[in-house]
Amino acid sequence: MRHVHPIINIIISALMFAVAGTLVKVASHKTDLLSLVFWRNVFSFLCVIIAGALSGKLNFSSEKKKTHVLRALFTFLALISYFYSVAHTHLGNAVLLQQTSPIFVPLISLIVLKKISDRYVWYGIIIGFIGVGLTTGIGLSTLNKGDLAGIIAGFMGGAATVTIWLMSSTEAPFKQMLYFSLYSLIFSITFIPWVWQSFDLSQVPYFIALGIVTTLAQYFLSVACSQAPTDKIISWSYTSVIFATLFGYLGWQENLSLTMLAGMLFIVLGATMSSRFSAARE
């Protein structure tokens, strides 16, 4: 398999997204959605600024500032939708629907970038999504407001991933994170009147942890997209469903059956098919 390094990076990103979902699930019992989003963005920006200052990479020069704005906006909307979904449905279901983003990536890239993904990418994405469905056990008849928010998160996540793809040839992953964290914080400033009224000092450790893991998730996603064609590796992000389901089982005794284990196998099979067969064409 030629895309080993980007696959490892996107799996790390998936793990961080699942950890973030777990933190939201725990923190949402005491903290409202707007506070979670706002403080997540505050501590994410601080993490990036500190890392940039220590590494000497704190440089805001860029020729694609508009694309950075779009990436931040799409991810910001995906984040709000995802947090709402996690707080109002099962953790595995929330991650499932947020992870519809790999399906939207080749569709959006076809419309925006005029790039047609090969059939093996589609095979892998579809097989992986079937695995996601088996793992979570969700059906269309069971959709609620939390599930619908998850679908919106998936679409916005797919749009954000395409903007990352657009920038990956010229914008370094850290530069992407610098602008992403800055604009996300700017977008969330409108939440301040509500956030200050509900601030809970005991929740600060969760805010800090959430800022760190979501920043790492976005960073490793950017790195992966800079190392290989995004449509050929994006189906590996389905592995976040595996991680989230295991976390749900360990933390909340959510169901873990043979069908779900079979679904996890489908996820890995689909992701492997997408990346391996696509790579053969290059």
Side-chain angles (χ1 to χ4, degrees), residues 15-25 82-83 86 91 210 213-214 217 247:
L15 173 60
M16 293 297 102
F17 275 123
V19 172
T22 303
L23 290 170
V24 171
K25 193 75 171 178
Y82 179 50
F83 283 10
V86 167
L91 181 58
L210 194 58
V213 297
T214 52
F247 293 158

Side-chain angles (χ1 to χ4, degrees), residues 59-223:
N59 182 356
F60 284 92
S61 62
S62 174
E63 297 180 357
K64 295 190 175 182
K65 292 182 179 179
K66 291 182 180 179
T67 310
H68 284 296
V69 172
L70 284 176
R71 188 259 177 98
L73 177 61
F74 289 140
T75 306
F76 179 70
L77 295 174
L79 193 65
I80 294 174
S81 302
Y82 179 50
F83 283 10
Y84 181 90
S85 180
V86 167
H88 292 85
T89 190
H90 290 300
L91 181 58
N93 288 8
V95 176
L96 155 70
L97 295 167
Q98 189 269 339
Q99 285 301 320
T100 54
S101 58
I103 294 177
F104 291 116
V105 167
L107 288 173
I108 296 173
S109 67
L110 175 61
I111 296 171
V112 177
L113 305 180
K114 310 302 181 184
K115 292 184 178 181
I116 302 176
S117 299
D118 64 55
R119 64 183 185 276
Y120 295 112
V121 168
W122 286 103
Y123 293 161
I125 287 175
I126 292 171
I127 290 173
F129 190 69
I130 291 173
V132 169
L134 290 172
T135 304
T136 60
I138 192 172
L140 292 177
S141 61
T142 66
L143 289 179
N144 55 36
K145 290 190 293 185
D147 297 329
L148 292 174
I151 294 174
I152 294 173
F155 176 79
M156 292 298 171
T161 301
V162 172
T163 62
I164 295 172
W165 193 358
L166 280 169
M167 295 187 291
S168 60
S169 60
T170 60
E171 302 291 277
F174 186 83
K175 177 66 67 64
Q176 294 186 42
M177 290 312 306
L178 184 60
Y179 273 103
F180 167 69
S181 62
L182 172 62
Y183 288 129
S184 294
L185 180 59
I186 291 173
F187 292 147
S188 63
I189 286 176
T190 56
F191 295 165
I192 288 180
W194 295 274
V195 168
W196 288 120
Q197 295 176 11
S198 60
F199 181 75
D200 185 346
L201 191 62
S202 67
Q203 295 295 90
V204 171
Y206 291 110
F207 299 153
I208 296 174
L210 194 58
I212 292 173
V213 297
T214 52
T215 300
L216 289 174
Q218 291 291 335
Y219 175 76
F220 282 105
L221 176 61
S222 297
V223 172

Side-chain angles (χ1 to χ4, degrees), residues 30-45:
K30 290 185 177 181
T31 308
D32 62 275
L33 173 66
L34 297 183
S35 293
L36 283 173
V37 173
F38 176 80
W39 291 113
R40 175 267 167 207
N41 290 336
V42 168
F43 287 108
S44 175
F45 181 69

